Amino acid sequence: MTSKILLTSFDTWMPHQKSNASDDLLVKISQGDFFGDSLILLRKLPVDPEAAPKEAIAKINQVQPHAVICAGMAETRQKLTVESQALSGKNCRKTLVNLPQLIAGLPNTEISHDAGKFVCEALYYAVLNYLQTQAKSPIPCIFVHVPLLHPENIEAIAADFRAIVQRLAAKPPV
C-alpha cells in the first residue's frame, strides 16, 4: 500500500469513559506492519466543534493524504457505521465515496445517514466542505462511527475497518 491515509480519532468527553473506541481502533489497526508507513494518525482530537476541524484541516494541508478517514465513538451502535453525509444548519455535504461498494461484504459495517449532531458531525462537515471546495484535487473522505469495543467484537470490527482502509487506499470507489 503506497497511499497515505489520514486517520483521525477523538479523545473522551464523559467522566465514565476510560478511552474513546475510535482511538482504541486506530491503535489496534496501526500495530504491526500490515499498513507499513501508509497510515498517518491524528489521535485524540479535542471534543470541540471548532478546534477539532481546525486541527484536522491543518494536518490535511501538512501531509497531503490520498484519503481521509475520520472516526468517532457511538456508544449505542453495535456495528461500524459509515456516514453518508454531514449537516451544518441547512447545508449538507455528502461523501464522494460510493459507500455501498466500499462496505460490500463487510458483515460488521453499515451505512448511516445521521452523523450525530455533535462534534463528529461538525468535524465531518468541515472536512468534507474543505476537501470539496478548497483542496487542490478531490480527496476521498469518510466518517466512521465505532461502537464500544470489547473482547467479543474487537477482532471483527478491526477486520472490517482494515478492509475499509485498504479499499480506500487501493482505489476509492466513487
Side-chain angles (χ1 to χ4, degrees):
M1 187 165 103
T2 58
S3 297
K4 290 187 297 185
I5 308 295
L6 175 62
L7 302 172
T8 73
S9 67
F10 282 105
D11 203 349
T12 58
W13 71 95
M14 298 291 284
H16 71 275
Q17 297 167 338
K18 292 185 173 120
S19 64
N20 187 304
S22 67
D23 191 60
D24 296 341
L25 186 58
L26 264 58
V27 169
K28 172 84 175 157
I29 71 148
S30 66
Q31 293 172 338
D33 289 335
F34 193 79
F35 291 108
D37 61 354
S38 297
L39 300 182
I40 301 157
L41 305 182
L42 179 57
R43 297 181 51 208
K44 297 186 178 185
L45 285 171
V47 182
D48 179 303
E50 292 179 16
K54 284 181 185 173
E55 284 189 33
I57 291 168
K59 191 70 167 181
I60 290 167
N61 287 327
Q62 176 193 354
V63 302
Q64 298 294 304
H66 297 98
V68 177
I69 302 174
C70 300
M73 180 167 64
E75 290 181 300
T76 60
R77 298 186 190 183
Q78 302 304 309
K79 294 184 172 190
L80 288 175
T81 49
V82 183
E83 302 298 338
S84 65
Q85 64 187 14
L87 305 172
S88 177
K90 293 184 180 188
N91 298 317
C92 178
R93 286 279 175 199
K94 295 183 182 294
T95 182
L96 302 178
V97 176
N98 180 326
L99 296 183
Q101 187 179 345
L102 178 70
I103 70 163
L106 300 180
N108 301 293
T109 305
E110 57 193 17
I111 296 170
S112 166
H113 308 290
D114 182 358
K117 311 294 181 257
F118 186 46
V119 69
C120 293
E121 186 154 55
L123 173 66
Y124 194 30
Y125 182 86
V127 171
L128 283 174
N129 189 57
Y130 176 78
L131 293 175
Q132 293 174 11
T133 64
Q134 305 293 318
K136 296 173 187 149
S137 62
I139 298 172
C141 175
I142 60 171
F143 191 100
V144 179
H145 269 114
V146 180
L148 291 177
L149 299 173
H150 46 78
E152 294 79 28
N153 75 352
I154 192 164
E155 294 304 327
I157 295 293
D160 275 19
F161 195 76
R162 278 188 198 99
I164 288 169
V165 173
Q166 285 180 299
R167 291 173 184 184
L168 276 179
K171 183 175 188 297
V174 290

